[in-house]
Amino acid sequence: MRFRWQNWMAAFILVAACVGVGGGVVWYRSRLLPTLAERMERLPAGASALYLDLASMRQTGLLALLSGQNVTEDPDYTAFVASTGFDYRADLDSALIGWAGADVYILATGRFDWKAIQAHTVRSGGRCWNGVCRMRASTPSRMVSFAPLTNGMIGMAVSTDEWAVVKLQNKAPNRLAAPDAVVWAGGLGRNWRESESLPAGTRLFAKALGEAEVVTLGLHAGTAGAEVRLRAECANESAAGGVESQLRGVTEVFRKYLENVQQRPNPEDLSGILTSGTFAREGTVVTGRWPVQRPFLEKLLSGQL
């Protein structure tokens, strides 16, 4: 997979900041907001995905923890807020982000002032044609393309293809089943195995999950903390048994390592998370759970990990 925990925040902010460089005319395909399952069908087949339910994060207080990121200090974002009045903390309800190769696709829902966004786009040097707006990305040879897809939902793409956002109008088979979580990530098992950007300490788990067909990890929030839940779908029971065994083995390796260096797992850092996993298997599906304390979430969301 092409993201890490530090990078999902940047991708999320991109939803808010890039709206200001890609606006266009309002393009109403429907008055109804598509369900999450319908939105997932718009991502390219085989894409890895990250989902953030910002509406729920507001209710649980998780979104308030993002203040440590100092998002509004970014000059482009500050100018965008001043020009349009859009602020992700109040106006963005969800962001579904997909990775297909080097391309990034975003479906965001919320409340947008399209006239203000379009005016800001023109002032920012963007251009629109036939309901699709485009502007150069910060990376050379890449473009940000943007279009309102339904009332309350925008589509966005970052790609070498300046019309890539048009792909979000189509439907493609998607094997991912969205968990009922405020934040979740999922993708084909091989995408986890091939990831080079995961935090140190988690790569052995990712390699184990690489033997599964489809993997999802969800963050389920509670009042005192949260829990990360795993669902790994395997090709057969033998493969599922292998994935479960590897996950248990990696967890035991971390536990023994801490014992050897005479350290206790700390629930406020990855040592506490990685050594606390419990796993089960039913048929071809492997599940796992890791309790997450609020101090860990605070460090994670403030960029200290």
Side-chain angles (χ1 to χ4, degrees):
M1 300 181 71
R2 291 182 171 270
F3 59 87
R4 51 185 176 181
W5 285 112
Q6 293 89 337
N7 282 353
W8 71 253
M9 191 58 223
F12 159 51
I13 295 171
L14 182 67
V15 176
C18 284
V19 170
V21 299
V25 297
V26 181
W27 186 4
Y28 290 102
R29 290 288 185 182
S30 171
R31 300 296 298 182
L32 300 176
L33 190 66
T35 64
L36 176 56
E38 291 171 335
R39 279 173 265 167
M40 290 172 61
E41 290 179 346
R42 291 174 180 256
L43 296 179
S48 298
L50 174 67
Y51 179 73
L52 300 101
D53 183 346
L54 281 86
S56 295
M57 291 173 71
R58 288 189 192 97
Q59 296 176 0
T60 58
L62 286 177
L63 193 58
L65 298 179
L66 297 178
S67 59
Q69 293 285 350
N70 294 321
V71 174
T72 55
E73 292 184 3
D74 177 80
D76 291 335
Y77 181 75
T78 301
F80 174 66
V81 171
S83 178
T84 66
F86 177 86
D87 189 340
Y88 78 91
R89 290 168 295 188
D91 299 322
L92 196 62
D93 287 340
S94 73
L96 176 62
I97 308 167
W99 284 263
D103 295 344
V104 180
Y105 296 88
I106 302 171
L107 289 163
T109 66
R111 290 155 296 284
F112 311 102
D113 185 337
W114 295 110
K115 290 183 178 179
I117 291 173
Q118 185 175 10
H120 180 82
T121 300
V122 174
R123 290 193 296 271
S124 300
R127 61 186 186 276
C128 303
W129 186 79
N130 198 26
V132 177
C133 297
R134 296 148 292 150
M135 190 171 186
R136 291 201 175 278
S138 56
T139 302
S141 77
R142 290 171 69 80
M143 298 288 293
V144 177
S145 54
F146 166 91
L149 300 176
T150 69
N151 183 26
M153 185 174 78
I154 61 174
M156 189 181 306
V158 183
S159 170
T160 54
D161 177 6
E162 62 180 335
W163 297 99
V165 71
V166 175
K167 298 177 183 178
L168 293 176
Q169 300 175 48
N170 304 322
K171 290 188 177 182
N174 196 317
R175 294 187 60 184
L176 291 178
D180 183 19
V182 294
V183 177
W184 60 261
L188 301 180
R190 65 173 181 269
N191 292 343
W192 292 80
R193 182 175 60 243
E194 296 168 358
S195 175
E196 298 294 335
S197 60
L198 291 171
T202 64
R203 293 170 191 167
L204 290 177
F205 285 99
K207 288 183 179 179
L209 295 174
E211 302 303 318
E213 295 286 301
V214 180
V215 176
T216 55
L217 282 168
L219 177 65
H220 299 255
T223 55
E227 183 178 67
V228 173
R229 299 177 190 171
L230 162 73
R231 178 182 173 86
E233 302 175 19
C234 302
N236 50 58
E237 292 191 15
S238 176
V243 169
E244 181 190 19
S245 177
Q246 288 188 64
L247 291 172
R248 293 183 186 275
V250 171
T251 301
E252 188 61 26
V253 166
F254 279 112
R255 289 173 180 163
K256 289 184 177 180
Y257 170 78
L258 291 179
E259 290 178 1
N260 291 337
V261 297
Q262 297 182 340
Q263 290 185 9
R264 283 190 169 189
N266 184 351
E268 296 187 13
D269 62 31
L270 276 174
S271 68
I273 306 298
L274 298 181
T275 57
S276 64
T278 58
F279 308 97
R281 178 173 63 87
E282 184 174 348
T284 61
V285 176
V286 177
T287 58
R289 292 172 178 259
W290 294 265
V292 181
Q293 301 299 318
R294 194 172 185 87
F296 177 83
L297 288 177
E298 292 174 350
K299 288 184 177 181
L300 177 68
L301 296 178
S302 65
Q304 297 179 42
L305 293 177

